Amino acid sequence: MSSAVIFQLQSVCILALMYVGVIFKRNRKIHVKLMSSAMIWDILLILQIELTRNAIVKASESMLGSKSMILNIHVSMAIACVVLYGFMVFTGRKLLRGEKGIRRKHKALGISTIILRTLVFITSFFVASPNGASL
């Protein structure tokens, strides 16, 4: 089994955890565990891809040389997703402390994050394809 397939399978599992986490949004204990696990696993997946493929060097070369627009889009969305994870953790911790006023912001960030992560997953198929700009 190729590393690309292993990475894609992990990505499916991460997205599944996120969507199940959304389903359990009213059960804080389960929601926090599922979403935290998904975010940590996603960051670990990025590290795996970097360690096996030198993805950061390839992505920065692509950004500078504009070799592949889909790769540029994919990398930009992946970076934005990790930044959004930081905001999700920040607002989520405030919610856990009882700051109810942050709930709308947390929800809006959550919707943005899950949509963006889904788009990262979709674009990963184009990036990892044989005629794509493989990371």
Side-chain angles (χ1 to χ4, degrees):
M1 190 177 309
S2 75
S3 62
V5 173
I6 293 169
F7 296 150
Q8 293 292 47
L9 288 173
Q10 287 184 75
S11 196
V12 166
C13 292
I14 290 164
L15 268 179
L17 273 176
M18 286 182 155
Y19 281 103
V20 172
V22 170
I23 291 169
F24 283 98
K25 67 184 175 193
R26 301 229 189 276
N27 185 332
R28 275 189 183 184
K29 197 172 193 177
I30 294 173
H31 175 76
V32 170
K33 286 180 182 178
L34 289 170
M35 296 310 234
S36 298
S37 298
M39 288 186 268
I40 291 167
W41 191 356
D42 202 18
I43 292 168
L44 288 173
L45 177 59
I46 293 168
L47 291 173
Q48 287 176 358
I49 293 169
E50 168 55 25
L51 292 173
T52 59
R53 297 185 178 172
N54 290 328
I56 293 173
V57 172
K58 288 180 183 177
S60 57
E61 286 173 357
S62 173
M63 290 283 195
L64 294 174
S66 297
K67 290 181 184 176
S68 170
M69 184 180 303
I70 192 70
L71 178 59
N72 292 343
I73 291 168
H74 174 75
V75 169
S76 298
M77 288 191 307
I79 292 167
C81 201
V82 172
V83 170
L84 282 172
Y85 289 163
F87 287 114
M88 292 303 300
V89 169
F90 179 75
T91 59
R93 290 182 59 85
K94 282 188 169 203
L95 266 176
L96 289 173
R97 284 194 304 255
E99 295 182 36
K100 304 291 185 207
I102 199 88
R103 185 175 307 280
R104 289 182 78 179
K105 185 176 284 190
H106 185 74
K107 182 178 179 180
L109 286 168
I111 291 168
S112 301
T113 302
I114 202 158
I115 289 170
L116 193 59
R117 182 58 182 87
T118 302
L119 291 171
V120 169
F121 175 69
I122 292 167
T123 58
S124 71
F125 285 100
F126 298 107
V127 171
S129 70
N131 51 352
S134 183
L135 275 181

